[in-house]
Amino acid sequence: MAIEKKGMMFVLSSPSGVGKTTLTKKIAENNSNFIISVSHTTRTPRPNEIDGKDYYFVSNKEFDNLIKSNSFY
C-alpha cells in the first residue's frame, strides 16, 4: 500500500512592510519543498515589483470577480 504525502499550507498575514517577503524568501532558500504562492492585490506596484512575480496586480473589479468565481483558497 502506497502512502500518499500531503503538503501543508501556511498563511502568513501581517501589516505591509513588516518583513513577510523577507521571511518567506529566507525559508525558501533553505528548504526546496517550500513554495511561495503569489498573492493578488488591488494596490499599485512599487517601482521594483513585477506583476506575476511579486503580486498579481488587479483592479478592484477584477478582484471582486475572482472572489465571486471562488478563485481563492
Side-chain angles (χ1 to χ4, degrees):
M1 174 184 229
I3 297 174
E4 182 180 340
K5 291 184 178 182
K6 295 184 178 184
M8 286 186 177
M9 181 173 81
F10 292 90
V11 176
L12 183 59
S13 177
S14 66
S16 178
V18 298
K20 294 178 299 289
T21 301
T22 301
L23 178 62
T24 55
K25 286 181 179 179
K26 288 290 183 185
I27 294 170
E29 283 176 11
N30 298 308
N31 185 341
S32 62
N33 293 325
F34 186 81
I35 300 169
I36 301 171
S37 68
V38 179
S39 298
H40 286 71
T41 184
T42 57
R43 70 167 175 77
T44 56
R46 295 177 182 134
N48 60 332
E49 292 178 323
I50 299 168
D51 185 49
K53 180 176 185 272
D54 299 297
Y55 290 93
Y56 292 108
F57 297 96
V58 296
S59 68
N60 286 322
K61 184 176 181 174
E62 288 173 294
F63 196 83
D64 288 340
N65 287 337
L66 289 166
I67 292 169
K68 289 176 186 171
S69 64
N70 292 318
S71 295
F72 299 123
Y73 263 117

